[in-house]
Amino acid sequence: MDDQVDVVVVGGGSTGCGVIRDLARRGLDAVLVEKGNLTHGTTGRMHGLLHSGGRYAVSDQKSARECIEENRVLRDIAAHCVEETGGMFVKRPEDSEEYFQEKLEGCRACDIPAEVIDGEEARRREPYLARDVEKAIVVPDGAVDPFRLCVANAADAREHGARVETHAAVTDVLVEDDEVVGVEIEHDTGPGKRVHREPGTTEEIRARYVVNATGAWAGQIGEMAGVDVEVRPSKGVMTVMNTRQVDTVINRCRPKGDADIVVPHETACILGTTDEEVDDPEDYPEEEWEVDLMIETLSELVPALKDARTLRSFWGVRPLYEPPGTGTDDPTDITRDYFLLDHAERDDLPGMTSIVGGKLTTYRMMAESITDHVCEKLDHDADCDTADAPLPGSEDFSVLRDYMEEFGIRSPIGRRSAQRLGSRTDDVLGGTDPNPVVCECEGVTRAEVRNGIEEAGSDLNAVRLRTRASMGNCQGGFCTHRIASELAAEYPGPVVRDAEDELYQERWKGQRHALWGRQLSQAMLNHLLHATTMNRDGDPATTDADVDFGAFDAGPAGSGESAGDGSSSDDSGSDDSPAGVTATDGGLDATGSPDATDGGIDGDR
Amino acid sequence: MTRHTGSDDETDGIDGSNRDGRTNGDDRCGCGSSPQPNVPEIGRDERPAIFVPDDGEEAGTAAESSAADGRTGSPAADAPRTATDGGVESATGGSDSTELDPDAYDPIDVFPEGDLDLRDGADSCYKCTSCDTSCPVAEVDDEFPGPKFQGPEQWRLKRKDDHDIDESITSCSNCMRCDDACPSSVPLSQMHNEARGQFVEEQMEKLSLEYVRNRILANYRTSARLASVVPRLSSFAMNFGPARWAMDKVLGIPKEREFPEFATTTFREWWRDRGGAQVENPDKRVAYFHGCYSNYNTPEVGKAMVRVYEHFGYEVMVPPQKCSGTPMFANGMLKDARRHAETNVENLIEAIGDGADVIASCTSCSMSLRQEYPELFDIHGIEDVSDHTFEALEYLRIHEDLNDELAEARPEDDRSFAYHAPCHARNQGLARQAVETFRDVDGVEMEDVGDSCSGISGTYGWKSEKYEKSMQIGEEMFGHMEDAEGEVGMTECPTCAMQMEHGTGYEIEHPLQLLEETLVA
Ligand SMILES: Cc1cc2nc3c(=O)[nH]c(=O)nc-3n(C[C@H](O)[C@H](O)[C@H](O)COP(=O)(O)OP(=O)(O)OC[C@H]3O[C@@H](n4cnc5c(N)ncnc54)[C@H](O)[C@@H]3O)c2cc1C
Ligand code: SF4
Ligand code: SF4
């Protein structure tokens, strides 16, 4: 068993990424395997709230305390993933005064700094708040970018010797002599960076210990090992607005309920959410009423939302866990706490532990406790330093610089880049010249896109998660092809085309839930542009059929008599310009016959 | 007008009540006992950083108005909220822009010091790039990122604490062609104006020569007033070689440009000497907004306006007035512009109270009073001024039968003109008015020289660093003027006129002068 590693971590969400970082920093030889991209699961489909703990201050004070503790840690170690927005619990006239007081006391009891302001002051800070908001409790909520956070954790782990395999699904848990000894994985395209069209392979990874951090999927991994893990997946919807109507997190101050929070996230605002139990974490209905509910209910707090543009909606599934025998009916009553399930104790199956439940905000704390647990099992003595060591990108940095002078880019673009890249700004932006903007909506330049490609291979969705390219109001309509063309230098055409399709489809998926008003106009414009300028509604290069280029170039039958034809008179009438026009319309080897111009035009219909 | 789709009802209402004499000026301007909703009590400079009512009263008023507007759709039916936030809703425009209530339009202050938050204007942009392809500056200036970036993109990338505005905003000439090009009612020029104002206020070195130069150019009225005290000397001195060289080197005013001549008698002096209005008619009154240029430099345009209007039986009033603000917007001097606007609105509202409509002979002045004023400032009655303002020829074409009048008339000698429609005329839908008015008149040839921009855009072409680009933009128009039959240029805009003259050596007239020649003389 010479190629045995110390630990395999299954699942590349916030939990798994936190665990692999901690293990690696403590000197263990560890591998992370994830079936999709990092954040493919719930972590990529959450709200982005860096909890102050205020939301749990009444119902679950243990969680609330953990939240505020980790909230402080993340501001420090993950500064470039966190925006210190602040948050409010606002009270409308019909909301209970008693609960408002309970909330306030709860916050104070959990050491969450809380200040009460009146409605006028609340509107001074957030002018789009409804006129009849009476008062608010101000708490240190924040916004966190889960993608950047996971990528930074994984990068740090890699720097400390860990191996991170994405697009590598665990297909079996290896059990020998009643002990877990590793996993079998299926590489989507082979080990390493993802490259479209590369054939898949399988691999067995033997390990002294396996950590199951697959969240809502934990039951499936459990099953492969022959144990029961009772995760109750519960779905929630989130709706993304095109601009930020609020710059602080706005919570509704009432016991529990759907649609009670607006989180400013990067250039957008995210509305949420619902809580409804589902059977399968990967197959559940996404319903229109859920989106309507978000907009309608939350416009009671922020009326401008009602007419504001919606970009897309997405759903996530909470990995709620209930210790056997609790028997809670309503998923909102299930605890938000996390649980370590040591299968040796629980099921007499040593070699594996599952971690379920919890929140993104407390990911590091969860990772620390499971790493402690694994170290104990492996008899490995090392201290945890993840609460103090900044993540790559969050070492000292400032976004205030002269971007035009230093990098030749416009200041709002530079500012956004630096807000995303943190201390990596100089490394990433320096050196690419020229450095045009590739994604205009989010202000992402070629340098950042190339950096993403270097890290993630031909996987443009992974590039998107790293850069936010294609996440703005055109939802990729104006940039997927530009991003893809950055791949073209390194990868063959078909790979590039597949990668582009995949990104474009992913953007479409979320947009389907916003097809009215202005986003519908956008979607139509995107479609027509892609269809008419790039042939994407019937690109011969993507079909196997032979294309009769000759017929296309020669123009319509009977060429030679159309010189007087109205539609072509402009071009064919003049001396040398038609040749140029012909070439672009009809193909390079066109003869320069003026009539070929018509062929091009006909072909477009 | 791109953004005032729903204003018809409103205007009618006011006109109607005015004719019946039921409403007096005071009530309409909102200074009476029943303040108009959405005409905030205090203006931009004085108002608190965030626009919230100081007491319950304003909310109450808003509630009434919302009921009156018939605004519905709030399940909670709590009217105060709906009304005030209704303004926010309509600010975004978008697919259902016919339902917009410009009256309720009230951009919200998020940024300190009363700066406007125009992020939600980005909601209407779908990136089609029509604005960029119609921007004359982007066409000749590779460094200028274009209106799409300056407007919706830059605003959308803003967070509350992000205050830096890209300095390229100072390259926008404020020609407003982008407004006209946008199919989706993105408030581009409002975004540019606001961003430029914030840039100048917060980022521009106040003692820099560029700032000083821009401020001098923006406050043309001040210089012109001083100059016209000794007009001949000023005309000579300002164009005197060594002085021009120094201006170019020190202030960055290109020596190629000739300063306009100052008239020996200003329009207002002429008006005073003539004894004011010669026609009295309480049923047909107009208040003439002559602007700075027809007062100090081309009083013949102002005189033509008076004579033509009196010919049609109008009583002309000439209220006290200051600069319309156009050059100040273009240079981000919003505070200066606001001071002048206060005087203008106060005096014009009074004239409107006396039954007058406001007439401007300069298309940029009418543009400013109509669109930029209500977009950028809240001053009592500013919406009323906006609703009652017209361009001189436009107004006659609405209210008089010009075709009939002109059917028999012809100028003394046959005339032919090369006509250029100013960009700001285009934005008000007036690009074709001169050609349409005169095309059937015997003895008049009027040729439209195309829809390109003249390139001067007010003060833009008056900056050394922009001079070349200004002339490059103008090239197309110069060419077409040369090709045209006529040897005299015609346009409604005084700075376009300067550029036309500068590029071709032609004399330039205003349509009002031709009307005067044809009808009055
Ligand atoms: C609607 C919603 C909103 C939320 N909002 C917040 C919030 O605002 N703040 C907050 O702190 N928390 C929030 N949470 C909770 C938080 O998102 C989750 O607790 C957290 O992301 C869970 O991370 P995880 O790593 O445990 O699970 P996941 O992110 O789901 O990671 C599990 C990973 O395992 C992978 N996997 C599954 N099966 C296999 C296999 N066979 N082989 C390999 N890999 C596999 C999956 O692809 C997935 O990437 C929210 C949750 C929901 C549902
Ligand atoms: S106002 Fe004119 S110069 Fe400025 S961005 Fe618009 S089109 Fe270009
Ligand atoms: S024309 Fe209007 S919609 Fe099109 S890109 Fe410009 S601002 Fe956006």
Side-chain angles (χ1 to χ4, degrees):
Chain A
M1 285 208 208
D2 33 333
D3 59 350
Q4 188 194 38
V5 297
D6 290 331
V7 189
V8 167
V9 181
V10 187
S14 54
T15 312
C17 291
V19 173
I20 192 84
R21 177 188 191 221
D22 203 343
L23 290 169
R25 290 187 75 94
R26 293 199 212 186
L28 286 167
D29 181 13
V31 184
L32 176 75
V33 293
E34 159 59 53
K35 70 172 171 182
N37 272 312
L38 295 180
T39 75
H40 175 80
T42 308
T43 305
R45 336 199 96 244
M46 51 85 78
H47 217 138
L49 170 66
L50 180 67
H51 283 279
S52 62
R55 282 180 77 82
Y56 306 117
V58 177
S59 59
D60 184 354
Q61 298 203 342
K62 176 170 176 285
S63 289
R65 279 198 196 88
E66 288 170 0
C67 280
I68 186 65
E69 204 179 317
E70 284 301 301
N71 175 305
R72 294 198 172 105
V73 171
L74 290 192
R75 279 162 200 261
D76 219 27
I77 64 158
H80 80 295
C81 310
V82 170
E83 186 187 345
E84 305 197 3
T85 59
M88 291 184 204
F89 283 86
V90 301
K91 177 184 175 309
R92 286 182 47 81
E94 65 268 30
D95 299 338
S96 141
E97 171 65 26
E98 200 185 327
Y99 186 74
F100 188 88
Q101 293 308 330
E102 265 181 68
K103 178 70 85 182
L104 184 62
E105 282 154 27
C107 285
R108 298 209 162 125
C110 300
D111 280 335
I112 301 165
E115 173 204 0
V116 176
I117 57 175
D118 62 15
E120 201 172 314
E121 173 63 15
R123 277 183 295 276
R124 200 191 62 71
R125 297 186 190 183
E126 279 306 336
Y128 284 104
L129 273 186
R131 286 285 157 134
D132 50 357
V133 160
E134 282 176 357
K135 53 183 174 176
I137 305 174
V138 177
V139 292
D141 281 340
V144 57
D145 187 309
F147 310 119
R148 225 171 285 154
L149 184 70
C150 288
V151 167
N153 271 287
D156 195 41
R158 224 185 254 132
E159 267 169 45
H160 287 83
R163 174 179 168 205
V164 176
E165 282 294 340
T166 59
H167 303 285
V170 168
T171 46
D172 199 11
V173 176
L174 308 176
V175 182
E176 285 171 9
D177 304 329
D178 290 331
E179 187 181 347
V180 174
V181 295
V183 293
E184 180 193 80
I185 58 172
E186 209 171 270
H187 288 290
D188 183 17
T189 74
K193 289 178 196 172
R194 177 163 184 218
V195 177
H196 289 75
R197 294 198 175 210
E198 254 174 37
T201 50
T202 48
E203 181 185 351
E204 267 189 15
I205 303 179
R206 299 191 149 267
R208 293 165 65 202
Y209 210 81
V210 172
V211 174
N212 173 16
T214 51
W217 291 262
Q220 295 176 4
I221 299 292
E223 219 171 279
M224 291 175 198
V227 296
D228 259 353
V229 180
E230 305 80 4
V231 180
R232 290 173 62 175
S234 153
K235 72 167 174 173
V237 65
M238 282 144 291
T239 295
V240 188
M241 310 307 289
N242 178 44
T243 51
R244 287 168 68 140
Q245 284 77 21
V246 291
D247 291 284
T248 44
V249 175
I250 303 298
N251 301 272
R252 178 99 177 238
C253 190
R254 60 181 182 191
K256 64 182 180 192
D258 290 340
D260 62 353
I261 178 166
V262 184
V263 182
H265 181 73
E266 305 284 318
T267 47
C269 263
I270 304 182
L271 319 183
T273 178
T274 45
D275 202 337
E276 210 186 310
E277 205 161 328
V278 295
D279 297 330
D280 184 339
E282 253 164 314
D283 186 18
Y284 49 84
E286 301 178 342
E287 286 162 281
E288 193 180 319
W289 66 265
E290 299 175 272
V291 177
D292 292 347
L293 180 77
M294 288 310 109
I295 297 172
E296 222 148 87
T297 311
L298 282 163
S299 57
E300 290 172 15
L301 298 185
V302 183
L305 290 174
K306 193 172 267 168
D307 281 338
R309 174 166 166 181
T310 305
L311 290 182
R312 56 195 284 120
S313 289
F314 60 93
W315 279 255
V317 277
R318 289 176 195 81
L320 300 182
Y321 175 76
E322 194 169 51
T326 320
T328 314
D329 286 336
D330 182 347
T332 59
D333 288 333
I334 301 179
T335 174
R336 263 42 176 174
D337 204 359
Y338 66 91
F339 296 87
L340 274 186
L341 312 179
D342 180 346
H343 296 293
E345 277 170 29
R346 218 172 152 261
D347 310 291
D348 267 339
L349 180 71
M352 181 164 100
T353 291
S354 296
I355 181 160
V356 287
K359 285 165 291 297
L360 181 123
T361 305
T362 53
Y363 89 96
R364 194 211 58 83
M365 184 183 263
M366 292 161 66
E368 179 175 347
S369 70
I370 198 159
T371 309
D372 286 347
H373 172 82
V374 171
C375 285
E376 196 188 305
K377 294 274 171 187
L378 298 184
D379 232 353
H380 181 81
D381 196 14
D383 287 336
C384 174
D385 69 351
T386 53
D388 302 312
L391 286 164
S394 283
E395 293 95 358
D396 276 347
F397 74 96
S398 158
V399 296
L400 301 172
R401 332 179 39 163
D402 188 338
Y403 299 101
M404 188 41 94
E405 204 150 275
E406 289 185 61
F407 307 111
I409 51 180
R410 301 272 157 210
S411 67
I413 309 279
R415 185 185 67 225
R416 285 294 297 129
S417 301
Q419 281 164 344
R420 285 187 296 260
L421 293 166
S423 50
R424 295 173 58 235
T425 304
D426 290 73
D427 283 350
V428 176
L429 293 188
T432 303
D433 185 31
N435 186 20
V437 174
V438 173
C439 162
E440 295 167 3
C441 303
E442 293 293 320
V444 185
T445 61
R446 174 182 285 167
E448 223 181 314
V449 169
R450 287 197 177 159
N451 178 258
I453 291 171
E454 257 164 51
E455 289 179 7
S458 75
D459 188 346
L460 293 184
N461 274 311
V463 173
R464 168 177 65 82
L465 298 179
R466 284 169 168 76
T467 60
R468 281 190 67 78
S470 80
M471 292 174 89
N473 45 343
C474 79
Q475 291 286 298
F478 287 72
C479 65
T480 39
H481 49 288
R482 296 184 196 157
I483 300 170
S485 75
E486 294 298 331
L487 283 177
E490 240 179 283
Y491 297 93
V495 169
V496 176
R497 232 185 293 272
D498 282 1
E500 181 187 2
D501 278 345
E502 199 179 79
L503 176 60
Y504 198 63
Q505 284 308 320
E506 194 284 338
R507 295 285 79 192
W508 171 243
K509 211 173 123 205
Q511 253 189 117
R512 284 176 311 172
H513 301 288
L515 292 184
W516 65 86
R518 283 159 287 187
Q519 199 58 33
L520 178 58
S521 304
Q522 182 75 65
M524 273 319 287
L525 180 66
N526 289 354
H527 172 72
L528 287 174
L529 275 177
H530 281 243
T532 58
T533 65
M534 289 178 276
N535 232 355
R536 284 174 54 99
D537 54 345
D539 189 349
T542 59
T543 63
D544 289 333
D546 280 338
V547 181
D548 185 0
F549 285 106
F552 189 71
D553 294 340
S559 58
E561 50 185 307
S562 65
D565 170 5
S567 69
S568 69
S569 57
D570 254 3
D571 288 323
S572 55
S574 57
D575 38 49
D576 56 353
S577 66
V581 177
T582 314
T584 31
D585 280 358
L588 288 174
D589 55 351
T591 55
S593 137
D595 308 291
T597 314
D598 282 346
I601 292 165
D602 278 352
D604 279 345
R605 269 200 225 112
Chain B
M1 297 274 294
T2 39
R3 234 161 299 124
H4 286 192
T5 338
S7 68
D8 293 356
D9 290 351
E10 161 71 16
T11 317
D12 286 344
I14 287 175
D15 281 356
S17 52
N18 195 28
R19 266 196 296 278
D20 297 341
R22 265 187 278 119
T23 323
N24 67 34
D26 276 353
D27 274 351
R28 260 185 295 115
C29 79
C31 8
S33 51
S34 59
Q36 285 265 310
N38 306 311
V39 179
E41 295 297 308
I42 36 177
R44 179 191 170 98
D45 292 344
E46 305 89 345
R47 67 203 247 197
I50 298 301
F51 174 39
V52 280
D54 306 314
D55 49 49
E57 219 189 291
E58 195 171 316
T61 319
E64 281 161 42
S65 97
S66 99
D69 288 356
R71 282 185 166 277
T72 48
S74 157
D78 31 3
R81 200 193 77 230
T82 323
T84 33
D85 296 299
V88 179
E89 293 168 14
S90 52
T92 52
S95 52
D96 43 10
S97 59
T98 44
E99 286 165 30
L100 285 191
D101 179 2
D103 206 37
Y105 172 64
D106 193 8
I108 285 225
D109 293 354
V110 162
F111 303 102
E113 266 93 55
D115 290 348
L116 304 178
D117 176 9
L118 299 176
R119 284 181 291 186
D120 68 352
D123 271 4
S124 299
C125 175
Y126 50 77
K127 304 288 206 208
C128 69
T129 316
S130 303
C131 50
D132 282 354
T133 55
S134 69
C135 171
V137 175
E139 195 176 335
V140 299
D141 185 349
D142 289 342
E143 301 291 303
F144 182 62
K148 180 168 66 160
F149 171 79
Q150 297 294 355
E153 285 175 1
Q154 170 154 255
W155 278 97
R156 188 173 172 276
L157 290 176
K158 228 167 148 72
R159 294 178 184 178
K160 195 178 196 170
D161 296 324
D162 295 338
H163 291 299
D164 54 326
I165 304 268
D166 194 64
E167 71 162 328
S168 57
I169 190 69
T170 56
S171 291
C172 158
S173 73
N174 203 30
C175 71
M176 299 174 144
R177 287 177 85 90
C178 46
D179 268 5
D180 207 34
C182 176
S184 191
S185 304
V186 175
L188 283 151
S189 66
Q190 186 186 20
M191 289 172 152
H192 303 333
N193 274 330
E194 183 63 24
R196 191 161 36 227
Q198 292 180 16
F199 177 82
V200 169
E201 193 53 36
E202 282 152 38
Q203 281 158 264
M204 203 166 187
E205 189 63 64
K206 287 290 155 52
L207 291 175
S208 74
L209 285 169
E210 191 187 355
Y211 179 82
V212 171
R213 190 267 323 266
N214 288 356
R215 192 130 187 218
I216 291 175
L217 288 174
N219 285 278
Y220 178 72
R221 182 176 177 276
T222 313
S223 328
R225 208 181 47 200
L226 294 176
S228 64
V229 177
V230 276
R232 275 187 213 107
L233 182 61
S234 301
S235 299
F236 170 75
M238 291 185 82
N239 287 314
F240 176 62
R244 293 313 312 277
W245 180 85
M247 274 191 233
D248 195 354
K249 287 291 168 270
V250 179
L251 285 179
I253 294 177
K255 60 180 182 307
E256 290 85 354
R257 290 248 178 242
E258 270 177 51
F259 273 100
E261 296 256 342
F262 289 96
T264 43
T265 313
T266 66
F267 169 75
R268 291 191 81 90
E269 284 163 1
W270 171 84
W271 175 255
R272 198 188 53 216
D273 295 347
R274 156 189 213 251
Q278 313 261 299
V279 173
E280 279 185 27
N281 185 352
D283 297 328
K284 283 173 86 173
R285 273 188 186 144
V286 291
Y288 180 34
F289 191 89
H290 47 66
C292 311
Y293 207 79
S294 1
N295 187 33
Y296 297 112
N297 303 92
T298 55
E300 57 280 7
V301 172
K303 293 176 200 168
M305 185 277 169
V306 171
R307 293 188 186 123
V308 168
Y309 270 73
E310 289 190 342
H311 170 81
F312 283 105
Y314 286 90
E315 176 176 336
V316 178
M317 306 157 74
V318 184
Q321 52 192 267
K322 290 187 172 174
C323 172
S324 70
T326 303
M328 297 159 178
F329 300 139
N331 288 285
M333 312 284 173
L334 292 188
K335 282 199 175 147
D336 290 348
R338 188 196 156 84
R339 266 201 318 279
H340 288 243
E342 279 168 3
T343 309
N344 291 337
V345 171
E346 187 185 325
N347 290 303
L348 294 176
I349 231 15
E350 199 179 313
I352 293 170
D354 291 335
D357 283 319
V358 179
I359 305 299
S361 52
C362 160
T363 40
S364 296
C365 291
S366 61
M367 183 78 203
S368 170
L369 300 185
R370 284 175 143 174
Q371 180 177 324
E372 287 164 314
Y373 268 28
E375 274 181 359
L376 296 169
F377 307 127
D378 319 282
I379 300 176
H380 270 329
I382 202 161
E383 294 278 353
D384 281 340
V385 170
S386 164
D387 290 342
H388 283 263
T389 300
F390 299 87
E391 196 276 335
L393 189 55
E394 174 192 24
Y395 193 74
L396 290 178
R397 277 162 52 91
I398 295 170
H399 294 282
E400 306 297 331
D401 194 344
L402 271 189
N403 281 350
D404 195 46
E405 283 273 336
L406 286 166
E408 301 299 306
R410 63 179 301 150
E412 209 166 303
D413 304 314
D414 284 0
R415 308 287 311 270
S416 57
F417 295 92
Y419 172 76
H420 162 74
C423 298
H424 289 177
R426 197 172 303 284
N427 274 28
Q428 297 167 79
L430 306 177
R432 294 286 296 164
Q433 63 168 2
V435 174
E436 283 168 10
T437 305
F438 291 108
R439 68 180 158 205
D440 296 329
V441 178
D442 286 338
V444 178
E445 278 298 323
M446 184 79 68
E447 207 170 320
D448 193 328
V449 297
D451 59 4
S452 63
C453 172
S454 77
I456 190 160
S457 290
T459 56
Y460 177 82
W462 278 96
K463 301 171 182 174
S464 292
E465 74 276 17
K466 304 284 192 280
Y467 176 77
E468 293 282 326
K469 298 195 180 94
S470 155
M471 293 307 279
Q472 237 173 299
I473 297 171
E475 239 160 55
E476 185 178 335
M477 179 191 72
F478 301 145
H480 288 217
M481 284 179 73
E482 309 276 2
D483 293 343
E485 196 89 348
E487 294 291 297
V488 176
M490 174 163 284
T491 191
E492 286 94 337
C493 166
T495 54
C496 289
M498 275 187 226
Q499 176 86 336
M500 291 160 81
E501 187 184 344
H502 185 61
T504 60
Y506 288 12
E507 248 179 70
I508 316 293
E509 285 186 23
H510 190 283
L512 281 172
Q513 289 170 279
L514 181 59
L515 261 193
E516 182 193 14
E517 190 182 332
T518 327
L519 292 178
V520 186

